[in-house]
Amino acid sequence: MPKKIAFIGAGSFGFTRGLVRDILTFPELSDCTLALMDIDEERLNFSKQACEKIVAAGNYPAKVVAIMDRREALDGADGVLITILQGGPRVFASDIEIPMKYGVDINIGDTRGPSGIFRALRTIPVMLDIIADVAKYAPKATVLNYTNPMAMLCRAVQGQYPDLAITGLCHSVQGTAMMLANWIGAPYEEVSYHCAGINHQAWYIDFKWNGEDAYPKIREAVETREDIYNAEQVRNELFLHFGYYITESSGHNSEYCAWFRKRPDLIEKYCTHGTNWNPGHHRYILDEYLKREDTWRDGIQEELAKPINLERGHEYAASIFNAIFGDGTIFEFNGNVRNFGLVDNLPAGCCVEVPVMASRRGLDPIAVGALPPQCAMLTGLSAQIEELAVDGILTHDEDKIRRAIYMDPLTSAVCSLDEIKSMVGEMFEANKEYWKG
């Protein structure tokens, strides 16, 4: 029987189109039903057009349906993809601008820190509603989440629904590996690595080229080539001082620790030369959202007019589905799962990003042992903050949420406890539509 894959938040045009293209490249999935669901009918219809063009270009026997009823989309699904944005860019603005009043300069703000925690506050209830419907209408489905804040969302739903097959996916692991391979002139297919930690703060415990340690070559490239050093100043500084390379961009990582954004001179020194996410730019992603508010339709029409590229991309989702309910080819990827005996020196039960094996058995996380101690200290603080924040959101406890933000490295480097308390109070007020105190 043809498989069914449900896309929740299918109005996310780029993600939906790319994932559909990848899925249909697998012969065992080429006749599947693609159930696209979104609450925005206009965006949903654009995604349906894009997917139908892919089906036609590849002469695939797949079926594309656009549905606004989530339960109908999920009913009987074998796979579920979640790419939602709760609240939209206008409420996201308060996540960025209120901290800036207190000197906390945020570049992206979708993963952790005060902005990430309040995004989680708005999104966790919606995610729990979605997963409740999965449990009722598609209990055997494999659920792949692409929505941020990745770790907090996955931790919340995995804790509430431990019997469902749920993981979160981020392209920062394979994306960074490709970047490092390029820096040392290695073909990507010749590198291997062992990467673990938490989402956006996972570390390459080893990185090899044809079985040989490639870290000396990476260090040489970072230390001797100005273009490479400047491309990722924050992450390169972390590498030079910590000895291991970290996932995700410098824009993101400049927010996750205390050393790069707490003073304007440090932003000037470490965040102005990078090209990935423009790390020196206050509220960069918010401005990108707002820039497209009135022009997004034109952008989509331009994309729809382009020739169709049917070549498979580098996202994990399609290969995971193929391993579990396609042709059964085993696939290893880095996914977000709870830490039960996986990373020895991160908190038990927190959400970690570790190697996971996808097969007919489902999803099997792989234990990695201990992180290097300096890496575990930085990542472990973020994991503990996320644990407290998620607990506060699930139990509707403002004190826990506030105390989680007290411990955020960047916020605590800039603000006093009283200042953080005032800042969080303003953020609760800005989110009163989503949080009833």
Side-chain angles (χ1 to χ4, degrees):
M1 290 289 292
K3 302 300 181 181
K4 179 180 180 180
I5 299 173
F7 291 72
I8 307 303
S12 180
F13 182 84
F15 259 124
T16 299
R17 182 177 61 168
L19 294 172
V20 165
R21 175 203 62 207
D22 293 354
I23 288 166
L24 296 180
T25 62
F26 289 99
E28 295 292 327
L29 303 178
S30 64
D31 64 346
C32 66
T33 295
L34 302 162
L36 312 182
M37 180 271 158
D38 203 280
I39 60 173
D40 186 319
E41 187 171 13
E42 184 179 17
R43 289 182 180 272
L44 178 62
N45 286 331
F46 277 131
S47 291
K48 183 173 185 283
Q49 289 179 50
C51 295
E52 288 174 337
K53 288 191 68 175
I54 293 168
V55 169
N59 196 27
Y60 297 120
K63 178 182 178 183
V64 182
V65 293
I67 303 167
M68 297 192 70
D69 184 330
R70 186 171 71 212
R71 296 168 184 174
E72 182 183 349
L74 289 171
D75 191 23
D78 300 279
V80 178
L81 290 153
I82 303 174
T83 56
I84 66 169
L85 174 63
Q86 172 65 359
R90 291 297 170 180
V91 67
F92 183 36
S94 69
D95 298 346
I96 309 294
E97 292 307 319
I98 293 172
M100 190 61 183
K101 287 174 54 179
Y102 292 83
V104 183
D105 187 328
I106 293 169
N107 173 238
I108 299 169
D110 66 356
T111 303
R112 49 184 56 98
S115 52
I117 288 171
F118 271 85
R119 181 178 277 218
L121 177 148
R122 294 190 298 272
T123 311
I124 283 175
V126 180
M127 288 289 289
L128 289 173
D129 285 346
I130 293 170
I131 302 303
D133 283 345
V134 171
K136 184 173 182 180
Y137 296 99
K140 295 182 180 179
T142 300
V143 182
L144 306 179
N145 174 53
Y146 274 100
T147 301
N148 282 326
M150 178 64 68
M152 285 186 276
L153 298 185
C154 289
R155 171 63 179 87
V157 298
Q158 289 163 346
Q160 298 290 303
Y161 294 90
D163 295 329
L164 296 182
I166 305 170
T167 192
L169 304 178
C170 176
H171 44 247
S172 65
V173 175
Q174 68 269 44
T176 298
M178 291 175 192
M179 178 188 77
L180 295 176
N182 181 60
W183 284 358
I184 62 175
Y188 182 62
E189 61 272 14
E190 294 180 7
V191 303
S192 61
Y193 53 82
H194 209 194
C195 187
I198 65 174
N199 179 240
H200 288 188
Q201 278 189 321
W203 304 84
Y204 295 89
I205 301 168
D206 63 53
F207 195 94
K208 296 179 180 180
W209 181 5
N210 285 329
E212 298 291 327
D213 181 13
Y215 263 135
K217 291 182 180 295
I218 296 171
R219 180 174 288 273
E220 180 184 8
V222 170
E223 291 181 332
T224 62
R225 288 185 52 182
E226 185 177 7
D227 60 325
I228 286 177
Y229 174 78
N230 285 339
E232 286 284 351
Q233 283 186 325
V234 168
R235 289 204 286 171
N236 286 335
E237 283 292 315
L238 288 170
F239 168 58
L240 293 173
H241 290 279
F242 278 61
Y244 295 86
Y245 216 88
I246 198 168
T247 57
E248 206 26 81
S249 66
S250 287
H252 279 285
N253 269 285
S254 68
E255 299 173 357
Y256 304 159
C257 49
W259 304 298
F260 304 104
R261 301 192 74 85
K262 61 185 173 183
R263 301 196 311 259
D265 63 304
L266 295 177
I267 294 175
E268 172 65 27
K269 183 175 182 179
Y270 293 116
C271 302
T272 56
H273 302 288
T275 56
N276 193 357
W277 297 113
N278 196 358
H281 185 157
H282 168 62
R283 54 177 260 170
Y284 171 70
I285 291 297
L286 173 60
D287 284 346
E288 289 297 304
Y289 280 162
L290 297 178
K291 190 187 301 182
R292 294 194 291 267
E293 253 192 335
D294 297 324
T295 62
W296 65 270
R297 295 173 183 83
D298 296 334
I300 286 179
Q301 294 288 7
E302 289 175 10
E303 290 298 316
L304 287 171
K306 292 179 180 178
I308 301 297
N309 177 9
L310 296 177
E311 184 178 352
R312 189 182 305 158
H314 295 284
E315 297 289 353
Y316 293 141
S319 295
I320 294 169
F321 286 156
N322 183 61
I324 295 172
F325 53 80
D327 68 21
T329 300
I330 294 173
F331 181 69
E332 182 180 323
F333 65 100
N334 276 70
N336 286 265
V337 294
R338 294 193 68 189
N339 186 30
F340 295 122
L342 301 175
V343 184
D344 295 346
N345 49 357
L346 291 182
C350 77
C351 183
V352 290
E353 192 167 79
V354 296
V356 178
M357 197 71 74
S359 70
R360 295 288 192 205
R361 285 166 46 91
L363 302 173
D364 290 305
I366 299 170
V368 298
L371 294 179
Q374 68 275 23
C375 302
M377 290 176 73
L378 179 62
T379 298
L381 176 58
S382 293
Q384 290 181 78
I385 291 168
E386 289 169 348
E387 283 288 282
L388 184 57
V390 169
D391 187 22
I393 293 166
L394 292 176
T395 60
H396 208 78
D397 189 328
E398 292 188 6
D399 286 337
K400 290 179 178 178
I401 296 169
R402 185 181 302 109
R403 288 165 184 160
I405 296 173
Y406 284 157
M407 298 305 299
D408 174 63
L410 177 58
T411 305
S412 61
V414 173
C415 296
S416 70
L417 290 169
D418 274 343
E419 288 168 340
I420 297 172
K421 183 178 181 180
S422 296
M423 179 188 78
V424 174
E426 289 191 42
M427 295 179 79
F428 274 122
E429 177 64 23
N431 283 273
K432 60 186 178 183
E433 178 183 347
Y434 305 93
W435 180 268
K436 308 302 180 186

